[in-house]
Amino acid sequence: MKDSALTRKDLTARIACELETDLHSLLSGKYADAIRHLLEERGVVAFRELHLSDEQQLTFTKTLGITPQKYEVTKITMDPLENPNANYIRGAFFWHIDGTMLDVPCFASIMSSRRLSESGGQTEFANTYAAYDDLPESEKLELEGLKVVHMFEAAQRYVQPEPSFAELSKWQEHKPNTLPLVWKHRSGRKSLVLGSTASYVEGMDLQKGWALLTRLRDWATQPRFVYRHEWRVGDLVIWDNTGTMHRALPYAMDSGRLMYRTQIAGDEPFA
Ligand code: OGA
Ligand code: MN
């Protein structure tokens, strides 16, 4: 089969593009640099109805790798038969960045759809570079140097507001992680670090801190910064986890929705 070019269509003005090429080219890695570049530029890269097998998704993921790592396919589903940690997955209904409890978050996640829910289950992405860029200059100055303490338990409280002491103790095995509110990337670009693990702003009155974090989340998730992916079976969507936040729109625990996710390890600490 003849290799085809990589064609690109932007999906909104500020975030996401759809790519098209043939399977052979995709798995050969010949477009890996171009795709990584587009990820940083557009935040989200989508392929429609590729229908990759697990093996093919792993092969494709490896072509995009930037640092030595272990590759694996994770099943994202709330079906308790397939996923004993279904409750953790419900945390994905709230805006978040993957890996805020780590010093170095993953660079990108790659998700393909195997089974869809009858309703809900779309995935939304917000461009946190664009959200920062559009802040008034006076506000950028105010945010300079602010640090936010992230806690796993803060994210879990969205799902389970009244944990038992035993449950809370389990959540608290994850130690708090203090991160800059504005991430100054090596590239020189800046993005906002927000999301459901954000617990409080260091050194700020608690109410003022919550007001700030909530106002910035509202700001960053305005329609002009957001792309909503309406899944078809076999789609493959990649997001730059260092320059976006994401969430799933609610779907039923027993909906059967099943996604396969791989990740590309990052090499850039929050800074
Ligand atoms: C994730 C995630 C969202 C979704 O896998 O990290 O947040 O739509 N998934 O399933
Ligand atoms: Mn996630």
Side-chain angles (χ1 to χ4, degrees), residues 193-264:
V193 180
L194 300 165
S196 58
T197 53
S199 186
Y200 62 92
V201 181
E202 203 174 67
M204 191 179 280
D205 169 82
L206 274 184
Q207 277 196 317
K208 286 205 175 98
W210 264 103
L212 176 63
L213 291 171
T214 304
R215 187 164 55 76
L216 287 176
R217 191 203 57 223
D218 272 0
W219 171 266
T221 57
Q222 292 175 88
R224 74 175 191 272
F225 302 127
V226 172
Y227 168 65
R228 176 185 293 184
H229 191 76
E230 301 276 354
W231 291 94
R232 294 180 210 144
V233 172
D235 286 355
L236 185 94
V237 174
I238 318 173
W239 63 93
D240 173 356
N241 183 58
T242 67
T244 57
M245 286 194 282
H246 60 281
R247 69 171 177 182
L249 296 192
Y251 54 93
M253 295 279 280
D254 60 358
S255 70
R257 183 185 192 263
L258 176 64
M259 315 299 252
Y260 278 27
R261 196 190 68 185
T262 46
Q263 287 185 319
I264 301 161

Side-chain angles (χ1 to χ4, degrees), residues 76 92 96 98 111 123 239 246 248 257 261:
I76 307 292
H96 65 282
D98 293 336
M111 204 160 74
T123 308
W239 63 93
H246 60 281
R257 183 185 192 263
R261 196 190 68 185

